[in-house]
Amino acid sequence: QVQLVQSGAEVKRPGASVKVSCKASGYTFTGKYIHWVRQAPGQGLEWLGIINPTAGGTSYAQKFQGRVTMTRDTSTSTVYMELSSLRSEDTAIYYCARSERALSWFDPWGLGTLVTVSS
Amino acid sequence: EIVLTQSPGALSLSPGERATLSCRASQSFSSSSLAWYQQKPGQAPRLLIFGASSRATGIPDRFSGSGSGTDFTLTISRLEPEDFAVYYCQQYGSSQLTFGGGTKVEIK
C-alpha cells in the first residue's frame, strides 16, 4: 500500500534550519507529486509548496519563498523539506502528502513531523 | 491567493442528525477543483471528497459534496459517532493551493 514515512520530531533554536524527510513506498516515486503542509498547534492547515520528484521542479507558497527548499533523492524515494531562519511561529506539525498532479487533492498524507522552535 | 471561508466554525449535533458544512471562496476558480478532508485529534487529515463531489476510496455514502464557482457544501446525512472531527476544504484550482479554516463537528 502507499505509504509516506516521515522523520522524527525536531527541536531547533530560533534562527536555525530544519530538514524533514518523507520516504515514499508502494508506488512509482516519480509518477506522483509531493506537497508539504503544516499545522501550528490548535490551528488549521497551511500549504508550503510542491515538488515534482521526476525532475525536481518545485513551486512554493509566496509566504515561504526564500525560506523553504524542497529536494528529492530518487535513489531512496525520499523527499526533503528544509525551512530556514526558524522563528517560534514555525512551531508546527509538518506533513508531506501525495497528489496525482501538480494541482490536485492530497492522498495519502504522512503522519507528520513535529518541529518545535524554542530558545 | 484564493481565501476559503468555512462556516460555521463549530457545529454541535447529535448522532443521527444531518450536518451541513459550507466553504466559500473569495473568487471563482477552475471548476470543481475542491476537496474536503476529515481530521481527528492526533491524526493526519484524511481525504473525503475531491472534484467537489466525488467520494474518495472507502468513504461511506453518508458523506456527499456539492457546489461550484465560489460556494461548496459538505453534507453528512446521518452522523455516526466516528464522524465527530474537524473538516477542512481545500482548493486546487490555482497555483497557490489554500485551505479553509476548518469546521469542528462536536457531539451535542
Side-chain angles (χ1 to χ4, degrees):
Chain A
Q1 75 282 22
V2 176
Q3 270 195 308
L4 300 174
V5 178
Q6 298 186 224
S7 50
E10 303 263 11
V11 179
K12 295 293 182 182
R13 301 287 193 193
S17 297
V18 68
K19 193 170 186 177
V20 180
S21 68
C22 171
K23 182 175 176 59
S25 63
Y27 71 99
T28 302
F29 178 64
T30 52
K32 312 291 182 187
Y33 295 78
I34 297 289
H35 297 254
W36 289 89
V37 176
R38 77 178 187 180
Q39 186 170 38
Q43 302 301 308
L45 302 168
E46 184 174 34
W47 180 73
L48 280 76
I50 178 178
I51 182 167
N52 178 351
T54 301
T58 57
S59 178
Y60 304 135
Q62 289 167 358
K63 175 179 177 177
F64 300 100
Q65 288 276 1
R67 229 171 37 104
V68 70
T69 304
M70 296 176 189
T71 56
R72 95 289 189 216
D73 181 346
T74 55
S75 68
T76 60
S77 300
T78 302
V79 168
Y80 300 91
M81 186 283 300
E82 184 169 21
L83 189 63
S84 62
S85 302
L86 290 170
R87 34 209 188 232
S88 58
E89 311 88 86
D90 294 317
T91 293
I93 297 174
Y94 289 76
Y95 295 101
C96 61
R98 191 188 75 160
S99 71
E100 293 287 321
R101 298 176 292 277
L103 299 183
S104 183
W105 57 90
F106 306 147
D107 183 46
W109 296 57
L111 294 182
T113 296
L114 175 62
V115 175
T116 302
V117 183
S118 174
S119 55
Chain B
E1 175 181 299
I2 296 175
V3 176
L4 298 179
T5 301
Q6 290 189 241
S7 62
L11 203 49
S12 189
L13 295 167
S14 300
E17 289 194 296
R18 181 185 188 90
T20 303
L21 287 64
S22 172
C23 176
R24 178 164 291 177
S26 59
Q27 58 187 279
S28 186
F29 50 87
S30 295
S31 62
S32 303
S33 298
L34 189 106
W36 290 93
Y37 301 87
Q38 176 193 69
Q39 187 179 34
K40 296 180 180 179
Q43 297 184 16
R46 176 176 74 141
L47 176 69
L48 297 176
I49 301 285
F50 62 92
S53 60
S54 298
R55 271 188 303 276
T57 302
I59 302 303
D61 61 7
R62 64 180 181 272
F63 290 92
S64 63
S66 63
S68 63
T70 60
D71 288 296
F72 299 87
T73 300
L74 174 70
T75 302
I76 310 171
S77 59
R78 294 172 311 279
L79 283 163
E80 297 287 339
E82 62 268 27
D83 299 336
F84 292 93
V86 180
Y87 294 83
Y88 294 96
C89 57
Q90 175 234 336
Q91 66 79 21
Y92 48 93
S94 73
S95 60
Q96 295 286 300
L97 308 184
T98 53
F99 290 90
T103 292
K104 184 176 184 179
V105 179
E106 307 173 311
I107 298 178
K108 188 172 182 179

